[in-house]
């Protein structure tokens, strides 16, 4: 039987070979090069299925080095590194649950953008740039450096990965920051125009005096009409916080889009970074005077409001679960006139 003519498709590096078994012409992409004085060749079979458009697509994938047969399975990825760290009992048994959750948040942020990227290709400049971009949230920025360094050392020392020098080592941290600024009342008043999930987060933080991440993980099932059961991530302790009337009404009217008050779907809460990003967009639109305020500042405002209402330090601690030193610090920021009125009212 005489062979039929080759398909009339001619491209540089495209060669046709006769498949005797199936009696068809099969296209291959061929690359020739010289290495160490020796001539070398690599061919990649193109499964074109008789479709010229598909052949064109596969051909250009090969030209770009992106054909699936040209790319080896990724090694030493951030996903592999973080998974190994999370599943290592030697590491996990030494860490408190709160510490693990703290690292986990930063690791999830790393995975969002770098999951399948080769850890070895991470440059010092890239780490420095990412750290600088988070300067507005210095604690988060320094936690990022700390987490990258921890993972890098784990990969090099425990997994024997060929990583080279730690790119996060020696980059200057922003260091210990001044305490969060409590929100001014004018900014609280602006919440009525904020995106729904930003306002909901703010109401939960201010009403319960808890951290933003604790507010994000509040479920409708945790609220019994008066009390909200809250998990303090630092102490890994669940506490019951009595909700003021305004918060009770707000929760009762909140749309039930899932198990969580701040629901992503039926079973998951919104992510911290999603709420934080929406908050910053809303805050920045308020003007430069709002720039210094963050969600955590509402937790501090709750201390001030409780102090101005005449609450003792012990009562404030019972609500917010903050240290005596922190309560004393923010009590000093409370309005002297409001404190005076509350004190004199007690004389009645």
């Amino acid at each position: 039987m005489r062979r039929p003519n080759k398909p009339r498709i001619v491209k540089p590096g495209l060669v046709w070979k006769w498949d005797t078994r199936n009696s068809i012409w099969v296209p291959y992409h061929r690359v020739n090069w010289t290495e160490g004085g020796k001539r070398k060749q690599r061919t990649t079979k193109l499964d074109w299925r008789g479709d010229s458009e598909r052949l064109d697509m596969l051909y250009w994938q090969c030209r770009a080095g992106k054909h699936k047969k040209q790319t080896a399975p990724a090694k030493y990825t951030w996903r592999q590194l973080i998974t190994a760290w999370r599943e290592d009992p030697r590491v996990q048994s030494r860490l408190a649950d709160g510490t693990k959750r703290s690292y986990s948040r930063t690791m999830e942020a790393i995975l969002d953008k770098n999951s399948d990227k080769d850890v070895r290709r991470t440059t010092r400049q890239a780490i420095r740039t990412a750290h600088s971009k988070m300067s507005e949230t210095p604690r988060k920025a320094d936690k990022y450096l700390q987490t990258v360094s921890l993972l890098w050392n784990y990969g090099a020392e425990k997994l024997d990965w060929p990583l080279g020098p730690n790119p996060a080592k020696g980059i200057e941290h922003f260091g210990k920051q001044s305490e969060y600024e409590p929100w001014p009342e004018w900014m609280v008043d602006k919440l009525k125009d904020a995106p729904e999930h930003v306002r909901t987060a703010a109401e939960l933080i201010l009403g319960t005096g808890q951290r933003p991440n604790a507010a994000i993980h509040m479920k409708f099932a945790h609220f019994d009409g008066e009390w909200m059961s809250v998990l303090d991530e630092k102490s890994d302790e669940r506490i019951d916080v009595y909700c003021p009337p305004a918060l009770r009404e707000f929760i009762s009217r909140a749309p039930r889009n899932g198990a969580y008050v701040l629901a992503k779907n039926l079973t998951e809460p919104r992510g911290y970074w999603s709420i934080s990003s929406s908050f910053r967009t809303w805050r920045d639109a308020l003007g430069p005077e709002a720039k210094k305020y963050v969600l955590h500042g509402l937790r501090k405002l709750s201390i001030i409001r409780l102090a101005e209402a005449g609450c003792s330090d012990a009562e404030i601690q019972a609500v917010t679960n903050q240290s005596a030193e922190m309560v004393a610090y923010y009590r000093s920021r409370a309005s002297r006139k409001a404190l005076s009125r509350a004190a004199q009212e007690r004389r009645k």
Side-chain angles (χ1 to χ4, degrees):
M1 175 181 175
R2 185 179 178 182
R3 296 182 187 178
N5 293 331
K6 295 178 185 177
R8 293 182 176 274
I9 303 174
V10 180
K11 295 177 181 290
L14 180 65
V15 296
W16 295 86
K17 296 183 181 181
W18 179 252
D19 182 347
T20 305
R21 176 180 295 179
N22 297 305
S23 299
I24 57 172
W25 287 99
V26 178
Y28 289 80
H29 180 264
R30 183 171 64 194
V31 178
N32 299 308
W33 73 96
T34 301
E35 184 178 310
K38 294 183 178 181
R39 184 85 169 161
K40 294 194 174 185
Q41 183 182 95
R42 180 180 65 211
T43 59
T44 304
K45 183 178 179 180
L46 305 180
D47 180 22
W48 75 309
R49 302 173 190 173
D51 183 339
S52 59
E53 290 187 4
R54 177 177 172 81
L55 175 60
D56 192 58
M57 177 193 71
L58 295 171
Y59 170 80
W60 287 109
Q61 282 182 353
C62 287
R63 295 279 286 184
K66 295 182 178 179
H67 191 281
K68 63 181 181 180
K69 292 184 178 179
Q70 293 174 310
T71 55
K75 291 183 178 181
Y76 309 117
T77 66
W78 282 103
R79 178 177 298 282
Q80 291 169 332
L81 179 56
I82 289 173
T83 299
W85 183 87
R86 286 173 167 171
E87 294 178 352
D88 190 334
R90 298 168 301 177
V91 173
Q92 302 306 312
S93 63
R94 295 197 302 265
L95 298 177
D97 289 341
T99 302
K100 285 186 278 191
R101 284 194 296 271
S102 176
Y103 278 126
S104 184
R105 287 194 297 273
T106 307
M107 290 178 186
E108 286 301 320
I110 292 172
L111 289 174
D112 281 344
K113 295 184 177 179
N114 303 284
S115 177
D116 296 319
K117 293 182 179 179
D118 193 325
V119 176
R120 297 169 299 174
R121 295 185 179 180
T122 303
T123 65
R124 184 176 180 80
Q125 185 57 47
I127 298 297
R128 190 188 298 278
T129 299
H131 182 246
S132 297
K133 284 182 177 179
M134 291 187 279
S135 60
E136 190 178 310
T137 51
R139 286 178 173 83
K140 184 175 78 173
D142 287 349
K143 190 68 174 181
Y144 167 76
L145 277 186
Q146 181 185 358
T147 304
V148 169
S149 188
L150 173 144
L151 288 170
W152 195 279
N153 291 338
Y154 175 78
E157 298 170 8
K158 303 299 183 183
L159 303 180
D160 295 323
W161 284 13
L163 299 183
N166 188 330
K169 184 178 180 180
I171 295 179
E172 185 177 0
H173 289 229
F174 290 111
K176 183 174 176 57
Q177 305 299 306
S178 57
E179 295 300 333
Y180 296 107
E181 279 294 311
W183 285 25
E185 292 297 334
W186 68 263
M187 192 167 165
V188 176
D189 292 340
K190 294 287 186 180
L191 280 171
K192 63 181 182 294
D193 300 319
E196 181 180 301
H197 55 283
V198 172
R199 184 188 174 196
T200 299
E203 294 284 356
L204 293 174
I205 296 166
L206 186 57
T208 63
Q210 303 305 305
R211 296 180 179 84
N213 204 53
I216 288 169
H217 287 87
M218 291 178 187
K219 294 182 176 182
F220 284 107
H222 294 154
F223 178 65
D224 68 0
E226 291 187 332
W227 296 82
M228 176 68 79
S229 177
V230 177
L231 180 66
D232 186 292
E233 61 184 353
K234 282 197 173 180
S235 65
D236 197 28
E237 173 188 10
R238 186 164 285 281
I239 61 174
D240 291 323
V241 178
Y242 188 77
C243 300
L247 179 59
R248 298 203 297 267
E249 182 181 354
F250 182 84
I251 295 175
S252 68
R253 290 188 287 104
R256 297 194 174 227
N257 299 318
Y260 291 86
V261 182
L262 283 160
K264 175 183 177 182
N265 51 42
L266 291 177
T267 59
E268 296 177 299
R270 279 182 175 268
Y272 176 84
W273 308 115
S274 167
I275 293 175
S276 179
S277 176
S278 296
F279 161 72
R280 289 195 300 273
T281 300
W282 168 76
R283 179 202 60 191
D284 293 349
L286 298 180
E289 65 274 18
K291 189 76 172 178
K292 63 182 177 180
Y293 300 108
V294 297
L295 281 172
H296 212 104
L298 287 167
R299 176 165 154 87
K300 308 310 177 184
L301 178 59
S302 69
I303 295 178
I304 292 175
R305 284 186 171 182
L306 289 166
E308 290 178 347
C311 298
S312 67
D313 285 8
E315 289 172 327
I316 296 174
Q317 282 184 272
V319 173
T320 65
N321 207 33
Q322 299 211 69
S323 68
E325 293 77 14
M326 193 63 67
V327 170
Y329 175 82
Y330 282 101
R331 176 185 284 282
S332 69
R333 305 284 298 274
S335 166
R336 190 176 186 86
K337 290 177 68 175
L339 291 174
S340 175
R341 177 184 293 112
Q344 295 288 39
E345 289 290 333
R346 288 175 180 266
R347 298 177 66 171
K348 295 180 182 180

